[in-house]
Amino acid sequence: MIRMAGVEKRYGTFQALHPLDLEVRTGEVFGFLGPNGAGKTTTIRMLSGVLTPTRGTIEIDGVDIVAEPVKSRRRVGYIPDRPYLYDKLTAREFLAFVGGIYGLESDHIRTRGDQLLAEHGLIERADELVEAYSHGMKQRLVLSASLLHEPRLLIVDEPMVGLDPHGARRIKDRFREVADSGRTVFLSTHSLDTAQEVCDRVGILFKGRLVALGPVQELLADKGSADLEEVFLTITEEETAAAASGAST
């Protein structure tokens, strides 16, 4: 589903992402982990078409994002960490607006939109203004909008911020359903318990480099731990120490 080959990103003299080779499979929930400043947001913005790689190639579902940007974006649903909603629109109006951006037919928008609103527990309040929604309801509306055009890849940045346990459980179950339907979820999160619970594989990014990659259970076994947070801390502390040692020689 995702193929990144030799992908780099520079901002002037600062290299935010060193050559990155990564493949994410169809039908999996992939966790993209790393401390602040590791390069996760830069990577996500390139995958979603907001940024262009300085070097390297990115393919989504076999489509090169630079050579065919419109075609590739139609394959992607993106939920940023701080999504913007139009508070003076109803949920149905907001989905109609999003569907129009993707050039969807109005009948399809209504049918697919109501299906998604029902699946996410919003159908009974679909004609209320978004400003009346709770944080959890807004998150579910954004998820509905991201799936409206039936993307092959769903990219999600920090989905659990501010959600209560019930809301978090609903969202996590939905990610699993999306992957089980033959699509892919690319999940960036600081919530390591969420990653451990829902992800098939994870990659850990540190200072723009991929320092660990594999199935969750294999990474746990490799470090002799049952806790992904402990594994994450161990790996990043080892990389910090190695970087400090290299700088002092």
Side-chain angles (χ1 to χ4, degrees):
M1 178 58 65
I2 298 174
R3 181 178 176 274
M4 305 180 73
V7 175
E8 300 180 41
K9 185 61 182 178
R10 288 181 176 272
Y11 299 97
T13 60
F14 174 68
Q15 185 146 3
L17 192 69
H18 295 272
L20 173 61
D21 297 306
L22 176 65
E23 292 194 14
V24 180
R25 305 160 187 155
T26 299
E28 74 175 340
V29 181
F30 183 85
F32 198 52
L33 315 178
N36 290 333
K40 302 188 304 300
T41 298
T42 294
T43 303
I44 285 175
R45 288 177 177 170
M46 287 191 290
L47 288 173
S48 60
V50 176
L51 294 177
T52 301
T54 304
R55 288 184 180 175
T57 59
I58 301 175
E59 292 181 0
I60 295 176
D61 198 25
V63 179
D64 188 297
I65 68 165
V66 175
E68 300 181 274
V70 175
K71 189 176 180 180
S72 68
R73 287 172 192 168
R74 289 187 179 277
R75 286 161 162 73
V76 177
Y78 175 41
I79 304 178
D81 58 343
R82 294 181 179 87
Y84 181 80
L85 291 170
Y86 295 94
D87 285 346
K88 297 303 181 182
L89 296 180
T90 68
R92 280 196 174 100
E93 289 170 341
F94 179 69
L95 293 185
F97 170 73
V98 172
I101 292 174
Y102 284 101
L104 303 179
E105 296 290 337
S106 57
D107 287 346
H108 176 81
I109 294 172
R110 282 192 295 270
T111 302
R112 175 69 173 157
D114 279 4
Q115 175 190 348
L116 289 165
L117 292 174
E119 289 176 357
H120 298 149
L122 297 173
I123 193 65
E124 293 182 359
R125 300 183 64 178
D127 293 314
E128 294 184 26
L129 295 180
V130 172
E131 66 182 3
Y133 280 18
S134 68
H135 176 72
M137 292 171 67
K138 289 179 179 178
Q139 289 286 81
R140 282 180 272 146
L141 177 57
V142 170
L143 179 58
S144 298
S146 70
L147 294 172
L148 185 64
H149 62 295
E150 302 182 79
R152 299 288 298 150
L153 169 66
L154 180 63
I155 300 174
V156 191
D157 193 0
E158 292 298 344
M160 303 304 168
V161 176
L163 293 181
D164 63 27
H166 291 289
R169 167 51 56 197
R170 186 192 293 262
I171 294 293
K172 287 186 282 189
D173 288 346
R174 187 58 171 148
F175 291 158
R176 190 71 264 165
E177 291 170 2
V178 169
D180 290 344
S181 71
R183 291 172 284 180
T184 299
V185 178
F186 187 91
L187 175 64
S188 175
T189 181
H190 285 119
S191 176
L192 298 180
D193 57 338
T194 295
Q196 183 168 349
E197 182 179 354
V198 304
C199 293
D200 301 296
R201 293 190 304 144
V202 299
I204 298 177
L205 201 66
F206 184 81
K207 293 187 176 180
R209 301 181 188 276
L210 193 65
V211 296
L213 175 67
V216 173
Q217 294 305 317
E218 286 187 12
L219 293 180
L220 295 175
D222 183 59
K223 296 297 182 181
S225 174
D227 183 11
L228 185 59
E229 180 178 6
E230 182 179 335
V231 170
F232 175 85
L233 292 173
T234 298
I235 290 173
T236 54
E237 287 169 1
E238 289 173 350
E239 292 294 328
T240 300
S245 175
S248 64
T249 59

